[in-house]
Amino acid sequence: MPYITAAEVRSFAPLVVGSWTDAQMNSYFISQAENRINAGLAQRYTTPISPTPLMVAEIARDYTIKLLLEKAVTYEGMNENRWLEMWVSRTDSLLTQLSRGEIALISSSGTIIEPARDDVWSNVKDFTPTFTVLDPLDQELDPDRTKDD
């Protein structure tokens, strides 16, 4: 199930969508936006996420509209558009925060979606090195190492 439909994009920004057909939007713009979202969220969650959380739908909408605007407005001369850059920067920041776990991903029912992957763990947290952090030539084996263990 896609994160957003062409009809939703069209209802949010009818002037931006213009003459693009739903098939064109689905095959290029929406799929590109979803790929970008999945790439960002795959670090922490199992993708694609279904049902679509509202925050993910918002990110999908923003990326899709950004791609449409780039194609329609800045395609010819690749004009610089500060408003578009700020908007996409905000969306990028939101996706980064979600992928790092800085903010919670909330389902449409209001519950927190638990990450599929936990943080990295280590089986050597209590490890005490045998040698010091000195230069290798100055390192010496601890003479009472067996008593320390």
Side-chain angles (χ1 to χ4, degrees):
M1 184 171 120
Y3 293 143
I4 193 166
T5 64
E8 290 169 322
V9 174
R10 190 176 302 284
S11 70
F12 184 78
L15 296 176
V16 174
V17 173
S19 62
W20 293 102
T21 65
D22 287 0
Q24 288 172 319
M25 283 198 299
N26 284 326
S27 67
Y28 180 73
F29 300 109
I30 292 175
S31 65
Q32 289 293 325
E34 288 178 354
N35 288 338
R36 190 170 189 173
I37 292 166
N38 287 338
L41 292 179
Q43 299 171 20
R44 192 164 186 83
Y45 300 96
T46 302
T47 56
I49 299 172
S50 183
T52 304
L54 296 174
M55 195 175 299
V56 173
E58 177 186 342
I59 294 171
R61 182 199 65 213
D62 288 354
Y63 279 143
T64 302
I65 290 173
K66 173 230 182 224
L67 292 167
L68 284 163
L69 282 170
E70 280 181 344
K71 197 74 163 174
V73 177
T74 62
Y75 181 70
E76 289 290 322
M78 297 307 285
N79 300 325
E80 198 172 297
N81 188 327
R82 295 185 201 285
W83 175 81
L84 182 59
E85 290 172 13
M86 286 183 348
W87 190 27
V88 172
S89 171
R90 178 194 145 289
T91 305
D92 286 339
S93 173
L94 186 59
L95 184 60
T96 301
Q97 289 174 335
L98 283 171
S99 68
R100 290 182 181 165
E102 295 171 4
I103 58 175
L105 184 57
I106 308 296
S107 70
S108 54
S109 63
T111 59
I112 294 176
I113 298 174
E114 294 298 325
R117 295 163 186 88
D118 288 332
D119 292 332
V120 177
W121 57 273
S122 172
N123 63 351
V124 294
K125 71 175 188 173
D126 296 324
F127 174 74
T128 306
T130 304
F131 296 98
T132 65
V133 289
L134 299 173
D135 186 279
L137 295 175
D138 296 330
Q139 292 181 2
E140 297 177 7
L141 189 58
D142 185 2
D144 64 343
R145 178 174 176 263
T146 54
K147 294 178 187 172
D148 291 343
D149 289 339

